[in-house]
């Protein structure tokens, strides 16, 4: 089996013992297995999905990008005798177009209402203090010291 190195971008062969070790790692829930590149010597972490894709590619190879597909044979015309019409040349039937299902309409969902971020403990304490000050009739505007009642009396004995 061959994998492609993420560093040098060259394919390298996977040792069968290392492949078996990777399968064991994946079955025990490990997310990746590290393979060593034969070309550059660097470690390549490979996920289970990438490993299975490489395994499938080995079983079902696809033709290279520069190769041409094999041409289908065309029937040869039969010779004609005098007075006989020439047969029409045989043309291959056009390939059927793949049927692509129409995309399903998206369900209309109302936009979610904006959610206020949770209040911190400090903000909650500040709000409670401001509410209590308003109830007492004090001025709670920011930075204002006017209207605040402080203890200015003498101590009682």
């Amino acid at each position: 089996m061959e994998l492609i190195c993420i560093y040098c971008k060259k394919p390298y062969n996977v040792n069968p013992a290392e492949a078996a070790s990777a399968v064991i790692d994946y079955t025990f829930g490990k997310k990746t297995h590290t393979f060593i590149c034969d070309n550059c010597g660097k470690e390549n972490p490979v996920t289970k999905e990438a490993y299975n894709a490489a395994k499938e590619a080995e079983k079902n190879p696809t033709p290279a990008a520069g190769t041409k597909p094999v041409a289908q044979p065309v029937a040869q015309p039969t010779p004609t005798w005098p007075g006989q019409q020439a047969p029409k040349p045989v043309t291959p039937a056009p390939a059927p177009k793949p049927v692509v299902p129409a995309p399903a309409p998206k369900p209309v969902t109302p936009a979610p209402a904006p959610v206020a971020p949770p209040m911190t403990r400090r903000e909650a304490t500040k709000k409670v203090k401001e509410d209590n000050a308003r109830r007492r009739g004090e001025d709670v505007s920011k930075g204002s010291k006017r209207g605040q009642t402080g203890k200015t009396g003498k101590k009682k004995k």
Side-chain angles (χ1 to χ4, degrees):
M1 182 173 69
E2 285 188 344
L3 293 175
I4 297 176
C5 179
I6 59 175
Y7 299 103
C8 66
K9 308 292 187 218
K10 294 180 183 177
Y12 63 94
N13 290 323
V14 174
N15 184 357
E18 192 68 26
S21 174
V23 170
I24 291 170
D25 283 350
Y26 297 141
T27 55
F28 284 113
K30 196 171 179 188
K31 302 288 183 204
T32 60
H33 182 81
T34 305
F35 291 96
I36 307 284
C37 176
D38 295 337
N39 304 313
C40 63
K42 293 191 177 180
E43 296 180 347
N44 290 287
V46 179
T47 62
K48 183 177 183 179
E49 291 79 22
Y51 177 80
N52 288 335
K55 206 172 182 182
E56 286 296 320
E58 182 184 24
K59 288 180 184 176
N60 304 323
T62 57
T67 61
K68 293 182 180 178
V70 178
Q72 302 238 347
V74 179
Q76 298 292 329
T78 57
T80 59
W81 290 303
Q84 186 180 15
Q85 291 183 352
K88 294 182 181 178
V90 177
T91 56
K97 293 183 179 179
V99 178
V100 179
K106 294 182 179 177
V108 179
T109 56
V115 178
M119 191 181 299
T120 63
R121 186 178 231 172
R122 181 177 180 190
E123 291 171 339
T125 304
K126 187 175 180 183
K127 184 177 180 198
V128 168
K129 287 185 178 184
E130 286 177 354
D131 290 343
N132 290 341
R134 279 193 192 96
R135 201 173 47 238
R136 289 190 304 261
E138 297 175 1
D139 185 16
V140 289
S141 60
K142 290 188 176 182
S144 175
K145 298 286 182 182
R146 286 190 181 161
Q148 291 186 355
T149 57
K151 293 188 176 181
T152 55
K154 294 184 179 179
K155 290 185 180 178
K156 295 183 181 178
K157 289 186 181 178

